[in-house]
Amino acid sequence: MGKTTLAAARAIGLADAGLRVLVVSTDPAHSLGDALFGAAGPDRLSGEPRAVERPGKAGELLAVELDSRLAWRRWLGARRAAIAALAERGTLLDAEDVSRLLDLPVPGVDELVGILELIRLAGESGCDRVVVDTAPTAHTLRLLQMPAALERFAAVLAALEKRHRAVSEALTRRRGPGAVDADPTAGRIEREAHALADLVRDPERCTFTWVLLPELLSLAESHDALAELEDGGVTVDELVVNRVTPPPPMHCSACEPRRRAEAAVVRQIRQGLARGRELHLVPELEEEPRGSAALRRLGRLLAEGWDPEWETGRETEADWQGSGGARLLPGRGSGDAAAGPREPLAWLGAVAPPGIGLLLFGGKGGVGKTTCAAAAALAAARAAPERGVLLLSTDPAHSVADVLGVALGDVARPVPGAPAGFRARELDAGAAFAARKERYGAALERAFSGISGRSGGAGYDVPFDRAVLERLLEATPPGLDELVALSELAELTALPGPGKEACGGPSDAPLVVVDTAPAGHTLRLLELPELALEWDHALLALLLKYKDAVGLPADWAEELLELARELKRLRALLGDAGRCRFVIVTRAGELPRRQTRRLAEALGRLRIAAPVVIFNALPVGECARCRRARGRALDDLAGLRSELGDRAQAAPGSDGGCHILTAPAEYPPPRGTRALERWSRHWSSGTPGP
């Protein structure tokens, strides 16, 4: 969408005005350094502020890319002794147990420590302004939920402290103030949580700029996200519509329908989202803005405003609904993919060869991964009607329903116009995780209802221990719901098993095509099997160690054992290049190309095969600007081939280099089964012409 570039441009503008400014990226797949530094400069920042040189300019600019693991160790390190003491005194756990738990990595902690680290850096840097380049939509919403998560964690510590004081007073027979020294840790963390909540909801101290594209999918996602932010008390006072197409220098079969579609979307924005908010339009620039000078020019466009020079009234409902009629390439017809059986697409064997059961699509935010995943899933279902194909979205900010043009939910359902074996589902991991917590809560109820009047002895006290465990269940970070996504993937891809029925096909080998969250959080999801197994083994060990003292029901242990089996199956599947592969989606531009290279390298470290890249939205059109854009895109494509060739050759499951497909830009973007299938017929594995 360009939010990183716009955040960097805004930060430079504030610094040029004479302010001391800190610009921070909280996105795990950082691109801030790529945007701030030109081609000749370094492209990486660290977790500590670094000065950005701006010769001859007033003010000062510092930049940071948050390292969530380092930030978590720092935050926990300052509080570890106090938390460990509370856990040891307020539970049956001994010092060794507590230390083992505190040493485990915490899934889902990225957003929690992100906002805490952000506040720390802002305070220590002494800056006048802090500009935050956030993670993509769903994870930004989670970041803003973290003060509440921190408050729930403080409640757990407070319950442990209360239990310790009650036991100590019973043993010493001293009550009242001063009877037992109170530990201030819980109170301090609770005050941190309140301060964070107050900050993000105070429009005098915190403003929120929402960036979107002049496209239907971006508009739909923005509607949902802005409603959630408003419900949470966060004020969004500015909208920026980025990459709006400027007037073409001559007649152009690509620019003109694109401009009509964009004008219609912006009209919808003005009539709805923009009411009561500032609205700024920013043109799509020919050269990707990198480095201080280019970002400064972009910042001026953002501040001064820009007129797209639309001919108002010409756009129609079809222009922004994306119902068809767009040109894919000059002089080529679109065909009708839904009219009847066709020969298998030439590229399909590279993307989903026989034997593949799990196909993951991912990439940097805004590259079109959802559209590509939907088109590939439809093509696979069309090519093999006897095989069940499930298109599953694990991105918390779902867009699959918008791409397919149908209503979807957390149950796989057929899609009108799609092949008979095709199903689609948007996974509600939060609801599934809540249901799992409810099951644990019911098990707690059964366990404690069987214990009557039991207290003292080994320091076990029913009312207090029950309260501690209940609060512990409530305190799980929102990011842990991604464990449910893993569990679902393991179940759906188990053969034979529920995957067959869920996909809706008669075959014993269903194909699950996954539309993942943007790159940084997808990598976190793929790392979770190892992290979750560590926790699973640790919790099983504790359950066995204290089963006689605690008396918890056996179904807890069985649930943990089943989770371990699911995670092991999924870990084996992800590492099996014959059954699973990752398709990286990217587009033209230096920032997407660098992000693609890093994603490919990270997948290689995880031993996940990623031998296919889709280079999406290859520019089309005959005007001079479109021809220049296509030339630059082909240069990016050549660079990508060069950079990924050696890596792909060494990747598990690769058969000699990285297979790069190109997908042409279409205006309006394809929406609905018919448009998606028509568009996918123009994907190509050859080198496109100029």
Side-chain angles (χ1 to χ4, degrees), residues 117-206:
E117 184 73 351
L118 176 61
I119 300 303
R120 180 189 76 84
L121 291 168
E124 292 181 0
S125 65
C127 288
D128 304 300
R129 297 285 188 278
V130 179
V131 178
V132 184
D133 169 36
T134 66
T137 302
H139 297 279
T140 292
L141 295 174
R142 280 186 182 164
L143 183 144
L144 296 172
Q145 295 167 5
M146 283 305 149
L150 193 62
E151 192 170 349
R152 292 193 296 269
F153 178 59
V156 173
L157 297 181
L160 293 175
E161 172 65 12
K162 187 176 181 180
R163 183 193 190 283
H164 167 64
R165 288 173 62 82
V167 172
S168 298
E169 288 171 358
L171 293 174
T172 62
R173 299 183 180 180
R174 294 173 59 194
R175 297 181 180 276
V180 179
D181 291 338
D183 191 295
T185 305
R188 287 174 182 164
I189 293 175
E190 186 176 21
R191 287 192 293 275
E192 274 188 282
H194 289 162
L196 289 173
D198 290 344
L199 172 63
V200 298
R201 291 169 175 81
D202 183 353
E204 298 298 321
R205 294 187 292 157
C206 177

Side-chain angles (χ1 to χ4, degrees), residues 16 20 35 54 58 71 128 155 164 214 219 237 294-295 317 350 404 420-421 484 494 515 548 551 612:
D16 287 352
R20 180 177 169 86
R54 299 157 35 257
D128 304 300
H164 167 64
L219 174 59
D237 49 8
L295 291 171
E317 191 77 1
L404 293 173
V484 175
D515 171 39
D548 293 333
V612 178

Side-chain angles (χ1 to χ4, degrees), residues 199-424:
L199 172 63
V200 298
R201 291 169 175 81
D202 183 353
E204 298 298 321
R205 294 187 292 157
C206 177
T207 63
F208 205 114
T209 296
W210 188 263
V211 180
L212 69 160
L213 298 179
E215 297 175 0
L216 182 65
L217 292 185
S218 186
L219 174 59
E221 182 176 318
S222 298
H223 267 295
D224 296 339
L226 290 176
E228 190 167 340
L229 287 169
E230 294 288 348
D231 288 345
V234 177
T235 300
V236 179
D237 49 8
E238 181 184 28
L239 299 178
V240 176
V241 183
N242 193 29
R243 288 180 18 208
V244 178
T245 305
M250 54 177 282
H251 168 76
C252 181
S253 62
C255 290
E256 290 172 5
R258 180 178 177 182
R259 278 169 55 79
R260 288 196 300 272
E262 290 174 355
V265 172
V266 171
R267 184 182 62 192
Q268 300 292 319
I269 294 170
R270 291 188 192 278
Q271 293 173 353
L273 293 183
R275 289 181 177 175
R277 299 183 173 107
E278 286 189 58
L279 176 64
H280 301 279
L281 306 183
V282 177
E284 183 164 47
L285 304 177
E286 288 204 34
E287 296 287 344
E288 187 178 18
R290 293 186 62 220
S292 295
L295 291 171
R296 189 172 289 114
R297 291 191 293 271
L298 175 62
R300 284 197 293 268
L301 280 171
L302 180 59
E304 296 168 3
W306 171 76
D307 181 7
E309 301 177 31
W310 284 319
E311 295 181 39
T312 57
R314 287 192 58 194
E315 66 273 6
T316 66
E317 191 77 1
D319 286 322
W320 73 279
Q321 289 288 353
S323 59
R327 298 284 297 280
L328 290 164
L329 289 173
R332 289 175 62 178
S334 61
D336 185 356
R342 290 179 177 271
E343 294 180 4
L345 300 175
W347 52 264
L348 189 57
V351 172
I356 293 295
L358 181 61
L359 193 58
L360 302 156
F361 279 74
K364 181 178 172 62
V367 296
K369 61 181 181 56
T370 302
T371 310
C372 290
L378 287 165
R382 184 74 65 187
E386 74 286 353
R387 186 182 194 191
V389 176
L390 173 66
L391 174 60
L392 178 71
S393 170
T394 62
D395 185 348
H398 299 296
S399 293
V400 164
D402 298 318
V403 166
L404 293 173
V406 297
L408 293 176
D410 198 16
V411 176
R413 55 157 291 181
V415 175
F422 181 86
R423 299 289 187 275

Side-chain angles (χ1 to χ4, degrees), residues 1 6 28 72 82 154 199 223 239 350 401 422 425 434-435 440 461 484 509 523 526 569 593 609 613 638 677:
M1 304 266 181
L6 288 165
W72 170 245
L199 172 63
H223 267 295
L239 299 178
F422 181 86
R425 174 185 173 192
Y440 294 155
D461 188 281
V484 175
L523 289 175
L526 296 175
R569 284 198 301 266
R593 194 180 84 199
V613 173
E677 291 192 75

Side-chain angles (χ1 to χ4, degrees), residues 51-105:
V52 178
E53 299 298 329
R54 299 157 35 257
K57 297 296 179 180
E60 187 175 1
L61 180 60
L62 305 173
V64 170
E65 290 179 343
L66 291 186
D67 183 332
S68 61
R69 289 181 175 86
L70 179 62
W72 170 245
R73 288 197 295 268
R74 180 187 292 111
W75 186 89
L76 181 62
R79 299 160 181 81
R80 182 185 177 106
I83 293 172
L86 280 172
E88 188 178 350
R89 293 183 321 203
T91 68
L92 294 176
L93 303 182
D94 57 30
E96 183 180 352
D97 299 327
V98 173
S99 180
R100 181 183 180 187
L101 290 176
L102 290 176
D103 286 339
L104 288 171

Side-chain angles (χ1 to χ4, degrees), residues 523-570:
L523 289 175
R524 187 179 78 177
L525 180 74
L526 296 175
E527 290 169 349
L528 271 179
E530 294 296 334
L531 303 184
L533 272 171
E534 286 187 62
W535 273 94
D536 195 83
H537 292 157
L539 293 175
L540 270 172
L542 291 176
L543 201 63
L544 291 172
K545 181 175 180 179
Y546 295 105
K547 63 182 175 63
D548 293 333
V550 178
L552 291 178
D555 53 357
W556 273 36
E558 182 56 38
E559 182 116 19
L560 288 172
L561 285 169
E562 179 55 31
L563 178 61
R565 286 191 286 267
E566 289 176 354
L567 291 168
K568 288 176 181 177
R569 284 198 301 266
L570 182 60

